[in-house]
Amino acid sequence: MSSQPVLVADSVAKSFGPVQVLFGVDFNIIPGEVHALVGENGAGKSTLMKILAGYQPPSAGSIRVDGEPVHLSGSGPAEALGIVLIHQEFNLAEHLTVEENISLGREIRRGLFLDKPAMRNRARAALAELNCAVDPDARIRDLSVSERQMVEIAKAVSRSVRVLIMDEPTAVLTGAETEVLFRLIRRLTAQGVGVVYISHKLDEVKAIADRITVLRDGRRIGTHPAELLGHDDIAQLMVGRPMSDLFPTKQPPAPDAPVVLAVEGLSVPGWVRDASFQLRRGEILGFAGLVGAGRTELMEGLMGLRHRSAGTLRRDGQPLRVRTVADAAKAGIAYLTEDRKGKGLLVGKGLRPNLTLLALDRYGRVFIDERKEATALDRAIEEFDIRVKSPDALVGSLSGGNQQKLLLAKTMQVAPQILIVDEPTRGIDIGTKQQIYRFLHDLARRGTSIIVISSEMPEIIGLSHRVVVMRSGAVTGTLSGEDITEAEIVRYATGLKGMKGIPHDPVLHA
Amino acid sequence: MTQSSMPELARKPSAGFDLKLWGPFLALAGLIVLGTLVNPVFLSPANLANVLTRTAFTGIIAVGATFVITTGGIDLSVGSLAAFTAGVMIVVMNALVGPMGAGMGAGWPVVLVGMLAAVGLGLVAGLVNGLLVTKGRIEAFIVTLGTMGIFRSLVTYLADGGTLSLNSGMRAVYRPVYYGGLFGIPTPVLVFAAVALIGAVILYRTRFGRYCAAIGSNDEVARYSAIDVDRVRLLAFVLQGLCVAIAVILYVPRLGSASATTGVLWELEAIAAVIIGGTMLKGGHGRIWGTVVGAVMLTLIDNILNLTGAISVYLNGAIQGAIIIVAVLLQRGTASKR
Amino acid sequence: MTQSSMPELARKPSAGFDLKLWGPFLALAGLIVLGTLVNPVFLSPANLANVLTRTAFTGIIAVGATFVITTGGIDLSVGSLAAFTAGVMIVVMNALVGPMGAGMGAGWPVVLVGMLAAVGLGLVAGLVNGLLVTKGRIEAFIVTLGTMGIFRSLVTYLADGGTLSLNSGMRAVYRPVYYGGLFGIPTPVLVFAAVALIGAVILYRTRFGRYCAAIGSNDEVARYSAIDVDRVRLLAFVLQGLCVAIAVILYVPRLGSASATTGVLWELEAIAAVIIGGTMLKGGHGRIWGTVVGAVMLTLIDNILNLTGAISVYLNGAIQGAIIIVAVLLQRGTASKR
Amino acid sequence: GWAQQKIKMGVSIPAATHGWAGGLNWHAQQAKAKLEKQYPNLEVVLVTARDVGRQANDLEDLVSVRNIDALVILPFESAPMTDPVRAVKQAGKFVTVVDRGLTDPSIQDLYVAGNNPEMGKVSAQFMKQKLGGKGDIVVLRGIPTVIDNQRVDAFQEEIKGTQIKVLGMQYANWNRDDGYKVMQDFLSRFPKIDAVWAQDDDIALGVIEAVKQAGREKEMFILGGAGMKDMIKRVMDKDPLVPADVLYPPAMIAEAMEITAKHLVEKAPIKKEYIIEATLVTPENASKYYYPDSPF
Ligand SMILES: Nc1ncnc2c1ncn2[C@@H]1O[C@H](COP(=O)(O)OP(=O)(O)OP(=O)(O)O)[C@@H](O)[C@H]1O
Ligand SMILES: Nc1ncnc2c1ncn2[C@@H]1O[C@H](COP(=O)(O)OP(=O)(O)OP(=O)(O)O)[C@@H](O)[C@H]1O
Ligand SMILES: [Mg+2]
Ligand SMILES: [Mg+2]
């Protein structure tokens, strides 16, 4: 790792209108290294990367490639130089197929015409490298977020790349997929590719990075060799204060706490088969599984967001009919989606309408009380630490983590008794994560029952009183107390334990 | 259709002068200047009253269209529905005039029944369109293309291919609804203003209005936010039907008749008014006041062309088209240069 | 974690019979059955040839419209452009017939020049629409609403309000282009098939086609993928202009005339064909063969109505509308039940 | 100045949205040019409208901002335009109504018109005579309006009691393309057709092409209407397919404008009504009605 940097940012600054978000940041990437970039939500990581990859021009400062100053007038020229960015937010055309997205802008042609078999093969190869079994002919809008993320990665690595910038690639991936991704990254760096890796999962950063740069409030705090920084050091550099324990001590409900929700034999055609579980008052119930285990689909089926073919719900022992989200909301159940851009937030609208959309009936019967909304927004900004330069900003201009906080705030507007959160800390920095864990913990202590779906094993383990493990659309086991360990969860999630001879295709009967 | 899904900037509505927001109003001001230059009579109160009164029909319909388009739909059937509703209204009133008499005393009840018939029909038609779109899961474009043909046909059938004319006694009673006014302001203008105001309140200040915009900008997000997407879509079509009925109630006393040619191309005019006003055809963002300005602009262009005799009559359409493009070009152009 | 434990995720979109995909074709089959029931003459080769030949004009235009709509645009000006192009073509040919003569020998060069003029005009008009949309950043709806008025006006002006008729000598030369054929298949049908085929190849097998869908689906993503969004949009409009020109080249020899009424409402028909065929009005997904079927369906409905005397002529429009809705309802209905 | 003393005559007609209306527009413009040259202190304000509502708007504008002294109007439709024209009259303007009579004839000062029922009747009489009172015919109508109804009703009234049978009747919207399409389908549907009443020359031209394409020229004849130059020419040339035409000249607008202008400027006395008869054009008299320069 002695060679010259391929890509250098020289005191880059960036302003959006009157708001400055980057202040003279220096950054460079050396071939064959993994350079991690960490920082709080809204620190400017994504913005810096977009500038490096040509998506946005810097307001000041310069970019150099191989020592030569360049003016990247778009992502095209950057890609031509081998600089490829995997976006934090999905950057796929929904109506197009996986293959079409992977090939977009780089189609293989034979003569005038597209060479579809060649492109399909290329797509399949790229996906296979990621152990991802998505059909190249599937349309993006039919994929789950984790699958989309894999497609996004496949799209990036199938280009000829010298610098690969990954903006929170693992936010929606489970440990297994992350392993696969890391193998891929190591292979790429061995070939001399420089990798920039942005993540809020500091264990990952420790595991993969050679150097770590910390960004705070648009300024570079420092760049250090990874081996010199411990987990806590990074956290402290990021948030500017020492970090205490991430997870509060668990306080499980009494064993005889009433069952507030009982799900019996719920099936979602094509996704989930015969799932049953119970949720107690004040309990945090974790859901673990690999990508594609069907956890999201189970919850969406429960909420009336997907068609159910079988299954009964009981709320406080009474049969409950949930055909729409509104029914669920009436029963005090709220769901936070994993797909914040596609299903969670209106990116073209402001914070206020987004915050109150789910609970608008609480803001006036006929006319909306905008003052009350504004107050609620102020409170949410405060409570969830949403970093926004102006309350009139459009949601699309918020940093990813801050969008996630807003989404959480939105879900909490209905003050649910049962809260289902799907990847709740996706893209959230470690400082805020701690706040959110504390928040969930306190909520449960005050009697709210919480279901947490998460791909982050520590999160599941650190938060849950009990853990339900799913695999291929079926519940394979439920763990509690001391049994909640990574090894045990993985055993159930991969089919080594739980059900005998899991059929590979159990749920596709519609 | 060039707006990007990723906003470039955090836009502050209050920061300075938002040209995107004010564009339609500027374009309107430009047209008024043009009109005055062409012929000073343009600014006479009588002419302005005429122009605004005329705008009322398509303007009121366009207010309804703003809702449908904001939810991401489209309604091509409004012109035909207007004709059909006018036809039914006339038939109803003519039929009642026998038993109830057309004298000044008995006239008003008949008119009221006619109005109720119009409103009822408008609501039912909107419901049909809405149900086909939501329950039938057919594109609004196709549904309303179909009902456009159906309504048009029905009025032709009703009129036996000719014209349905309101009983002359009834006309005398009904006339003031179009030709009368309050404090010198013609009734249609007052009604138009009221409809626009109510429309603005609904769109900007009620849950329903919010939901319309939410559905138009991302119906999945709306669904996940416990919004009954189908019901809101349905209601938007019903509202559109109601607006058509109101427009017809003002229209019938003007010409006192309905035929197969009544309201032809009103749908195009209404949609054009909505889009010129800054509402996005793809949905998600509606602007009632923009729509009002758009509707007025379209009438003004006609009026200005009538004020000058300089141009070959054959080229009227070309001038109209050019003015529309230039007006929108100017507002967009200045807006993007910020 | 072992790799072998990954569940088999691969979902095949092609699993089984895709009714969404085949819907338009089923609806077409239904119409054909209906036609045969109404009048057995329906299936006669002469009638089928008539129907297909008639479909050619709007069908070819609709192929172009498929591209524009797939990119998320819309073109309302095609009907007017067709009329204007026909007018210019006739004027050009009539003007040349003097110097070049209309004899059988000299006739073809004149026709060729006329065709070139049509193609040139179509391309330029498409370019104008496209530039206003891309560089002017005006909604396609407004741009083409404007040019619709402009082109219509220009042909009226050219024809002095009346009808432009092709020199009768020239007509004799040119006639075979419409009335002739190969192996018993009328030329327009052959050309239509060729245009559709080429359209399908472009949409499905070229980069340009893919880019159209990508832009319609999400123009920001397209831009991020280094696609020149403006250029693709522009090209789609130019392609639309070319299709209009081809349609006009087939249309002029039919009646040898052009007037202000030529091509009225063709835009609506073309867009309807596209949408019935399964292309999404909001863009992102285009289907050429669906468009062809949609166009044929629309002509068939007319034809079937003309072949039966059972219905009051006043109600033709209603039946048409109802058939359109039912046809689409059936295909959507069956599709969603999967 | 002298401009103030100009006499203004407003002319409101439907826009050139079909052939006959195109002819109307042309004749109106010719007349405008001619009259303004003939009477230097006359200004003719010509406005065209594409629907009833707009024509009503035009009348308002003519009175309120153009300040006309007289109005010549060819109403888009009779009943709906009655009140707007009445308003013009009440504003003290001289009113000439052309072609389509108002429902209240007392409004007009002058009426210049073709005769729609007469046109249907004359057409039927010719059919009866030419077919010998017996045969199968098809009818292509215009667009659903009162005029169209008047023509068709009178036609059907006249053939009542004969052995002429109307096999089929469809709207062809006064449009060549629709005439062509509808006729194609009639030809598929009916193996034997003795005559076609196309009612309008634009439709007739489409019908002719369809008949020719089917190779059935020998079987039938076609009767159009209006007096389009192409059709008059065919009659003149004794085209067996087009044995006659029934006149309904768009030039009536010019006549109305001339009479009105003459009255305005020279205060010439006028008759209250000028009815232009629906003359049957035959090879014998065709040359009288042939205007090769007209676009119609
Ligand atoms: N297009 C934009 N318009 C206005 N402000 C923007 C825009 N894009 C980003 N910002 C602002 O810039 C700041 C930095 O955002 P950025 O997305 O770079 O943060 P980040 O470090 O990636 O955070 P996260 O960890 O949450 O992804 C934020 O305050 C954000 O609101
Ligand atoms: N038996 C099965 N056969 C085929 N595909 C299956 C089967 N079971 C599940 N799947 C796949 O499961 C996936 C379910 O989506 P999803 O990835 O959202 O599940 P999840 O448990 O929520 O995982 P995550 O939230 O980590 O993404 C789909 O991609 C679907 O193809
Ligand atoms: Mg970020
Ligand atoms: Mg999930």
Side-chain angles (χ1 to χ4, degrees):
Chain A
M1 219 172 298
S2 55
S3 47
Q4 288 298 309
V6 257
L7 181 60
V8 176
D10 238 349
S11 44
V12 161
K14 177 72 184 174
S15 304
F16 294 102
V19 183
Q20 185 158 7
V21 299
L22 287 178
F23 301 83
V25 176
D26 297 322
F27 190 80
N28 64 47
I29 301 139
I30 297 166
E33 75 159 347
V34 177
H35 190 161
L37 183 61
V38 297
E40 282 181 297
N41 294 132
K45 304 181 293 293
S46 299
T47 307
L48 179 62
M49 292 307 116
K50 282 184 197 160
I51 291 170
L52 285 181
Y55 291 91
Q56 285 173 355
S59 308
S62 64
I63 310 293
R64 279 182 284 131
V65 175
D66 295 329
E68 297 292 318
V70 287
H71 286 280
L72 301 170
S73 58
S75 55
E79 264 191 42
L81 292 169
I83 306 165
V84 176
L85 169 65
I86 300 174
H87 280 261
Q88 178 176 16
E89 298 301 341
F90 292 120
N91 197 31
L92 300 167
E94 291 231 314
H95 302 99
L96 269 51
T97 64
V98 169
E99 177 267 305
E100 285 167 340
N101 268 287
I102 288 179
S103 304
L104 197 58
R106 273 181 333 120
E107 288 76 7
I108 304 175
R109 284 184 298 177
R110 215 180 319 134
L112 266 179
F113 302 115
L114 297 174
D115 187 347
K116 285 195 185 180
M119 288 190 288
R120 201 170 290 133
N121 287 339
R122 181 174 67 185
R124 198 168 279 133
L127 290 164
E129 242 186 316
L130 292 163
N131 268 352
C132 177
V134 173
D135 186 325
D137 290 331
R139 296 207 178 269
I140 296 296
R141 59 157 186 251
D142 297 331
L143 301 185
S144 69
V145 276
S146 37
E147 287 169 327
R148 290 182 198 195
Q149 184 65 56
M150 294 310 253
V151 172
E152 190 98 56
I153 296 170
K155 177 177 176 179
V157 299
S158 69
R159 323 211 149 196
S160 56
V161 20
R162 295 174 63 209
V163 175
L164 180 60
I165 303 171
M166 302 181 151
D167 197 349
E168 298 194 32
T170 58
V172 290
L173 300 184
T174 58
E177 286 80 32
T178 305
E179 271 311 311
V180 175
L181 179 65
F182 280 9
R183 274 203 297 272
L184 179 80
I185 291 177
R186 292 199 185 97
R187 195 156 62 234
L188 287 172
T189 47
Q191 290 161 13
V193 174
V195 173
V196 181
Y197 190 86
I198 299 179
S199 179
H200 291 292
K201 302 181 181 175
L202 300 184
D203 298 332
E204 289 178 4
V205 171
K206 275 293 290 172
I208 193 87
D210 301 305
R211 286 196 297 162
I212 299 174
T213 291
V214 182
L215 220 54
R216 196 195 304 152
D217 291 334
R219 292 183 175 81
R220 188 173 65 104
I221 300 299
T223 302
H224 308 275
E227 58 271 19
L228 297 187
L229 288 183
H231 191 293
D232 293 341
D233 304 327
I234 307 176
Q236 183 168 347
L237 280 174
M238 275 172 63
V239 296
R241 61 185 154 88
M243 292 281 302
S244 50
D245 268 349
L246 197 52
F247 296 100
T249 334
K250 288 186 197 174
Q251 287 180 325
D256 61 344
V259 173
V260 289
L261 182 72
V263 174
E264 199 61 53
L266 194 149
S267 293
V268 175
W271 305 90
V272 178
R273 187 188 41 143
D274 196 21
S276 307
F277 65 88
Q278 296 189 332
L279 180 66
R280 291 178 187 280
R281 192 179 140 82
E283 183 178 40
I284 300 180
L285 181 62
F287 268 75
L290 299 181
V291 163
R295 296 163 297 171
T296 299
E297 286 71 19
L298 168 61
M299 295 311 159
E300 289 182 345
L302 193 160
M303 293 298 291
L305 285 162
R306 273 176 196 271
H307 172 70
R308 294 192 296 261
S309 58
T312 53
L313 304 180
R314 281 176 172 278
R315 177 88 172 82
D316 293 331
Q318 300 302 313
L320 176 68
R321 261 167 74 87
V322 175
R323 300 181 60 217
T324 62
V325 194
D327 292 342
K330 252 184 243 127
I333 310 175
Y335 170 69
L336 179 133
T337 175
E338 63 176 340
D339 185 359
R340 80 175 158 241
K341 204 170 159 193
K343 304 189 169 101
L345 296 171
L346 301 170
V347 286
K349 303 239 169 255
L351 275 77
R352 195 163 46 82
N354 267 291
L355 177 72
T356 57
L357 194 61
L358 181 59
L360 208 52
D361 50 352
R362 287 163 195 251
Y363 292 87
R365 282 195 52 79
V366 179
F367 299 111
I368 301 169
D369 184 346
E370 295 195 356
R371 282 235 291 289
K372 201 167 156 197
E373 274 190 297
T375 322
L377 179 59
D378 289 342
R379 230 189 11 248
I381 287 179
E382 161 119 17
E383 189 175 349
F384 293 91
D385 192 23
I386 302 171
R387 307 272 172 94
V388 55
K389 305 268 148 85
S390 141
D392 297 324
L394 297 184
V395 165
S397 75
L398 293 188
S399 81
N402 283 305
Q403 290 181 11
Q404 186 68 24
K405 294 181 213 166
L406 179 67
L407 182 58
L408 189 58
K410 169 186 168 183
T411 312
M412 289 314 297
Q413 285 293 306
V414 290
Q417 285 122 40
I418 298 175
L419 175 65
I420 306 173
V421 288
D422 198 346
E423 311 290 358
T425 59
R426 183 183 156 203
I428 286 190
D429 69 49
I430 185 133
T432 317
K433 239 181 213 170
Q434 187 188 33
Q435 286 167 268
I436 287 177
Y437 294 150
R438 203 144 277 154
F439 174 81
L440 292 176
H441 174 83
D442 290 347
L443 217 54
R445 241 187 24 181
R446 276 184 268 118
T448 306
S449 310
I450 300 171
I451 292 176
V452 179
I453 302 175
S454 177
S455 302
E456 278 189 69
M457 205 60 93
E459 191 165 288
I460 289 278
I461 296 168
L463 270 180
S464 314
H465 304 145
R466 283 188 305 140
V467 175
V468 175
V469 188
M470 289 183 70
R471 168 175 150 70
S472 290
V475 172
T476 50
T478 306
L479 310 173
S480 57
E482 298 298 302
D483 292 343
I484 304 179
T485 60
E486 175 151 5
E488 196 66 7
I489 292 175
V490 166
R491 255 175 236 134
Y492 282 101
T494 53
L496 296 179
K497 215 171 158 182
M499 283 165 71
K500 334 148 208 55
I502 276 262
H504 268 307
D505 208 314
V507 283
L508 277 185
H509 57 85
Chain B
M1 299 191 189
T2 46
Q3 78 286 346
S4 59
S5 50
M6 281 197 179
E8 254 299 286
L9 293 164
R11 256 179 299 146
K12 283 196 213 160
S14 50
F17 186 65
D18 190 341
L19 265 159
K20 179 102 188 168
L21 194 67
W22 293 102
F25 298 90
L26 284 184
L28 178 66
L31 265 186
I32 291 175
V33 170
L34 180 68
T36 318
L37 290 180
V38 163
N39 194 333
V41 183
F42 175 79
L43 278 185
S44 70
N47 187 51
L48 291 182
N50 279 344
V51 168
L52 288 177
T53 314
R54 280 171 212 174
T55 311
F57 311 133
T58 44
I60 290 172
I61 294 177
V63 168
T66 310
F67 284 88
V68 172
I69 294 176
T70 301
T71 63
I74 194 162
D75 191 343
L76 300 174
S77 72
V78 291
S80 309
L81 177 59
F84 182 43
T85 309
V88 168
M89 196 174 171
I90 290 172
V91 168
V92 166
M93 289 195 288
N94 284 353
L96 289 179
V97 112
M100 291 171 91
M104 277 299 158
W108 275 108
V110 173
V111 170
L112 276 181
V113 173
M115 288 180 174
L116 282 180
V119 168
L121 183 59
L123 293 176
V124 168
L127 204 69
V128 168
N129 277 338
L131 283 175
L132 282 168
V133 169
T134 54
K135 300 293 164 220
R137 309 245 150 254
I138 315 178
E139 288 76 2
F141 185 92
I142 295 190
V143 167
T144 57
L145 182 76
T147 51
M148 164 167 128
I150 294 176
F151 297 143
R152 177 74 55 207
S153 235
L154 289 178
V155 66
T156 314
Y157 184 74
L158 215 57
D160 234 347
T163 304
L164 289 162
S165 292
L166 186 58
N167 172 298
S168 65
M170 284 313 306
R171 285 209 62 191
V173 181
Y174 198 175
R175 257 184 75 93
V177 171
Y178 182 83
Y179 290 95
L182 261 184
F183 316 115
I185 306 172
T187 329
V189 178
L190 293 173
V191 176
F192 181 23
V195 168
L197 195 69
I198 295 171
V201 168
I202 294 180
L203 188 60
Y204 300 136
R205 306 241 164 253
T206 69
R207 268 157 58 188
F208 172 73
R210 270 288 164 85
Y211 290 164
C212 284
I215 289 171
S217 73
N218 187 335
D219 59 353
E220 275 294 277
V221 172
R223 203 163 70 90
Y224 274 71
S225 301
I227 297 171
D228 189 340
V229 173
D230 279 358
R231 206 171 118 252
V232 173
R233 282 220 167 99
L234 184 69
L235 269 179
F237 277 100
V238 171
L239 207 63
Q240 170 75 87
L242 179 64
C243 285
V244 171
I246 295 173
V248 167
I249 287 174
L250 294 173
Y251 175 82
V252 168
R254 180 180 195 196
L255 301 179
S257 72
S259 74
T261 51
T262 304
V264 165
L265 290 188
W266 279 10
E267 60 279 353
L268 201 63
E269 234 168 285
I271 299 171
V274 173
I275 308 299
I276 291 174
T279 297
M280 298 191 326
L281 189 57
K282 290 199 168 178
H285 188 63
R287 299 185 53 200
I288 295 284
W289 297 115
T291 297
V292 171
V293 168
V296 173
M297 273 173 65
L298 287 175
T299 329
L300 271 190
I301 295 175
D302 270 353
N303 180 246
I304 292 175
L305 285 172
N306 279 346
L307 293 181
T308 162
I311 306 148
S312 155
V313 286
Y314 300 138
L315 292 179
N316 273 358
I319 311 286
Q320 260 169 348
I323 293 183
I324 291 177
I325 294 179
V326 170
V328 178
L329 189 63
L330 285 183
Q331 44 170 294
R332 302 289 193 273
T334 38
S336 68
K337 249 182 243 137
R338 286 199 308 148
Chain C
M1 291 188 196
T2 51
Q3 272 171 243
S4 57
S5 63
M6 293 282 292
E8 295 297 313
L9 294 180
R11 261 170 301 145
K12 285 256 157 66
S14 52
F17 185 67
D18 191 342
L19 265 161
K20 179 103 188 164
L21 196 67
W22 293 101
F25 297 91
L26 286 183
L28 179 66
L31 264 187
I32 291 175
V33 170
L34 180 69
T36 319
L37 291 178
V38 161
N39 194 335
V41 174
F42 176 79
L43 278 186
S44 69
N47 187 54
L48 292 181
N50 279 347
V51 168
L52 288 176
T53 315
R54 274 179 222 169
T55 310
F57 310 135
T58 44
I60 290 172
I61 293 176
V63 168
T66 310
F67 284 88
V68 172
I69 294 176
T70 300
T71 63
I74 195 162
D75 191 343
L76 301 174
S77 72
V78 290
S80 309
L81 177 59
F84 182 43
T85 309
V88 168
M89 198 175 170
I90 290 173
V91 168
V92 166
M93 290 195 288
N94 283 353
L96 288 179
V97 113
M100 291 170 92
M104 278 298 157
W108 275 109
V110 173
V111 170
L112 277 182
V113 173
M115 289 180 176
L116 282 180
V119 168
L121 183 59
L123 294 176
V124 168
L127 204 69
V128 168
N129 278 337
L131 283 175
L132 281 168
V133 170
T134 54
K135 300 291 164 223
R137 308 247 150 254
I138 315 179
E139 288 76 2
F141 185 92
I142 295 190
V143 167
T144 57
L145 181 76
T147 52
M148 166 167 126
I150 294 177
F151 296 143
R152 177 72 56 205
S153 240
L154 289 178
V155 66
T156 315
Y157 184 74
L158 214 58
D160 231 349
T163 304
L164 289 163
S165 293
L166 186 57
N167 172 298
S168 63
M170 284 311 308
R171 278 210 68 191
V173 180
Y174 197 175
R175 255 184 78 93
V177 171
Y178 182 85
Y179 292 95
L182 261 184
F183 317 115
I185 306 171
T187 330
V189 178
L190 294 173
V191 175
F192 180 24
V195 168
L197 195 71
I198 295 172
V201 168
I202 294 180
L203 188 60
Y204 301 136
R205 307 241 161 250
T206 69
R207 273 201 323 211
F208 170 73
R210 266 201 188 182
Y211 292 172
C212 286
I215 289 170
S217 175
N218 188 333
D219 59 352
E220 202 63 24
V221 169
R223 201 164 287 127
Y224 279 3
S225 299
I227 295 171
D228 188 340
V229 173
D230 279 357
R231 209 173 115 247
V232 173
R233 281 217 170 100
L234 184 69
L235 268 178
F237 278 100
V238 171
L239 207 62
Q240 171 73 86
L242 179 65
C243 285
V244 171
I246 295 172
V248 166
I249 287 173
L250 295 172
Y251 171 83
V252 167
R254 177 162 102 178
L255 299 179
S257 67
S259 73
T261 46
T262 303
V264 166
L265 290 188
W266 280 8
E267 60 279 353
L268 200 63
E269 230 169 291
I271 298 170
V274 172
I275 308 301
I276 291 174
T279 296
M280 298 194 327
L281 187 57
K282 298 197 171 178
H285 186 61
R287 297 185 54 200
I288 294 285
W289 297 114
T291 297
V292 171
V293 169
V296 173
M297 273 172 67
L298 287 175
T299 330
L300 272 189
I301 295 175
D302 268 352
N303 179 247
I304 292 174
L305 285 171
N306 281 343
L307 288 184
T308 166
I311 306 150
S312 156
V313 278
Y314 302 142
L315 292 179
N316 272 1
I319 311 284
Q320 252 171 351
I323 293 182
I324 291 177
I325 293 180
V326 170
V328 177
L329 189 63
L330 285 182
Q331 45 169 295
R332 302 288 194 275
T334 39
S336 69
K337 251 181 242 134
R338 287 200 306 151
Chain D
W2 58 273
Q4 257 72 34
Q5 273 126 37
K6 269 201 163 182
I7 300 172
K8 279 196 191 166
M9 179 169 86
V11 180
S12 168
I13 54 175
T17 50
H18 57 93
W20 190 83
L24 189 76
N25 273 263
W26 186 79
H27 283 291
Q29 284 183 311
Q30 298 297 102
K32 171 179 150 85
K34 183 176 152 218
L35 289 172
E36 283 180 342
K37 206 162 136 216
Q38 187 178 343
Y39 305 115
N41 64 336
L42 177 78
E43 186 187 338
V44 179
V45 181
L46 180 61
V47 292
T48 63
R50 47 166 211 271
D51 56 49
V52 201
R54 283 203 165 70
Q55 192 168 32
N57 296 347
D58 286 351
L59 294 197
E60 286 174 359
D61 287 347
L62 284 176
V63 173
S64 71
V65 293
R66 301 307 294 269
N67 201 13
I68 53 166
D69 301 293
L71 171 71
V72 178
I73 178 169
L74 196 153
F76 216 94
E77 273 179 59
S78 310
M81 286 313 293
T82 300
D83 265 11
V85 177
R86 193 197 313 273
V88 176
K89 181 67 195 167
Q90 277 162 356
K93 318 296 179 191
F94 183 92
V95 171
T96 302
V97 174
V98 188
D99 187 33
R100 298 163 202 182
L102 303 175
T103 47
D104 178 3
S106 71
I107 297 169
Q108 68 220 9
D109 296 297
L110 170 63
Y111 183 49
V112 180
N115 190 334
N116 282 303
E118 180 75 10
M119 189 196 176
K121 194 170 152 196
V122 170
S123 304
Q125 281 164 347
F126 178 79
M127 282 272 171
K128 275 201 293 195
Q129 173 244 318
K130 176 95 180 164
L131 291 171
K134 183 172 181 304
D136 296 332
I137 66 168
V138 292
V139 177
L140 290 89
R141 316 181 54 154
I143 57 174
T145 58
V146 178
I147 314 165
D148 183 71
N149 280 358
Q150 287 175 342
R151 291 179 185 178
V152 174
D153 291 348
F155 182 90
Q156 282 181 317
E157 185 61 34
E158 187 65 25
I159 60 166
K160 221 180 240 162
T162 67
Q163 282 176 295
I164 295 175
K165 194 170 152 228
V166 178
L167 296 173
M169 193 180 312
Q170 290 282 355
Y171 284 112
N173 306 317
W174 289 330
N175 177 312
R176 281 185 203 195
D177 289 305
D178 290 345
Y180 176 82
K181 284 190 243 182
V182 171
M183 193 59 204
Q184 270 195 334
D185 291 342
F186 277 158
L187 289 165
S188 309
R189 192 169 139 200
F190 306 114
K192 179 178 150 288
I193 299 170
D194 298 314
V196 182
W197 184 42
Q199 202 226 67
D200 171 84
D201 288 340
D202 259 313
I203 300 178
L205 281 169
V207 169
I208 291 172
E209 288 302 334
V211 172
K212 272 195 189 155
Q213 185 206 15
R216 288 166 68 174
E217 300 101 308
K218 298 259 153 40
E219 184 183 323
M220 66 193 79
F221 69 88
I222 297 149
L223 183 63
M228 185 190 281
K229 65 178 178 191
D230 301 22
M231 293 293 282
I232 302 286
K233 182 95 187 348
R234 281 172 192 267
V235 175
M236 214 156 67
D237 297 347
K238 298 207 172 69
D239 184 338
L241 207 52
V242 187
D245 200 35
V246 181
L247 223 49
Y248 199 84
M252 66 177 77
I253 188 70
E255 205 157 323
M257 286 166 68
E258 277 165 32
I259 300 169
T260 309
K262 202 166 153 81
H263 173 74
L264 280 181
V265 182
E266 301 174 5
K267 303 279 175 275
I270 46 161
K271 280 201 302 185
K272 226 177 134 53
E273 261 190 17
Y274 292 79
I275 302 295
I276 294 153
E277 285 312 313
T279 314
L280 185 71
V281 181
T282 55
E284 290 72 50
N285 65 0
S287 56
K288 261 196 359 211
Y289 304 104
Y290 184 55
Y291 303 102
D293 293 337
S294 158
F296 182 67

